[in-house]
Amino acid sequence: MSQLLEKAKDFVVDKVANIKKPEASVSDVDLKHVSRECVEYGAKVSVSNPYSHSIPICEISYNFKSAGRGIASGTIPDPGSLKASDTTMLDVPVKVPYNILVSLVKDIGADWDIDYELELGLTIDLPIVGNFTIPLSQKGEIKLPTLSDIF
């Protein structure tokens, strides 16, 4: 009897492990908006849904780093859902206060850009499996706005 139970358990674990899961990638990080308080960057995230029904997104968490230090982090609760059997583009706004940018003067002064690392966690609610987080990471550089960009 215990062997039968063990085989059934192994079968279920194997089937759950091989369930298709949504896949995501960061396609772009770019300047979105400049205000008196901060510079807002936008990360474009492409998420493919292999299922024939939409999947709710529980939250998106992000951590924006430069020179090994965190310069912005946060969560976006309930940003919508993934389209059924399609690819959904998500915009993740990242607001960086000017006082943090000032502390990065060494990096900025050399080439007027910010070398960054963006870490994202896309938490979705999969049937049967439950909450599932897709971790993403992107490294690159962002050119800073000049006065002509602001005015």
Side-chain angles (χ1 to χ4, degrees):
M1 182 68 167
S2 67
Q3 286 180 332
L4 180 63
L5 225 78
E6 191 65 34
K7 284 183 181 182
K9 182 177 137 188
D10 289 342
F11 177 78
V12 170
V13 167
D14 184 51
K15 290 299 178 188
V16 169
N18 292 320
I19 290 176
K20 289 184 182 179
K21 297 174 186 78
E23 295 180 2
S25 64
V26 178
S27 59
D28 189 28
V29 177
D30 210 356
L31 175 68
K32 189 172 180 181
H33 181 72
V34 177
S35 70
R36 292 183 180 149
E37 296 81 33
C38 65
V39 175
E40 184 175 329
Y41 295 97
K44 295 191 186 318
V45 180
S46 172
V47 187
S48 64
N49 179 2
Y51 301 116
S52 60
H53 58 279
S54 65
I55 298 176
I57 303 171
C58 300
E59 74 175 14
I60 299 173
S61 58
Y62 64 88
N63 192 4
F64 195 61
K65 296 178 181 179
S66 182
R69 295 186 314 213
I71 59 174
S73 63
T75 59
I76 302 169
D78 194 24
S81 59
L82 303 176
K83 298 175 195 167
S85 302
D86 200 1
T87 299
T88 304
M89 289 299 292
L90 301 172
D91 287 323
V92 180
V94 178
K95 293 182 179 182
V96 180
Y98 284 118
N99 62 348
I100 303 252
L101 292 177
V102 170
S103 69
L104 300 172
V105 170
K106 283 184 189 176
D107 181 37
I108 294 169
D111 48 9
W112 202 246
D113 67 16
I114 296 177
D115 298 318
Y116 72 88
E117 180 178 2
L118 177 63
E119 297 171 348
L120 291 170
L122 181 66
T123 304
I124 55 177
D125 185 16
L126 289 177
I128 299 173
V129 177
N131 284 357
F132 176 75
T133 300
I134 303 171
L136 300 167
S137 183
Q138 170 92 11
K139 289 183 179 183
E141 62 181 39
I142 300 173
K143 291 290 183 189
L144 290 175
T146 60
L147 289 178
S148 62
D149 294 332
I150 297 171
F151 300 107

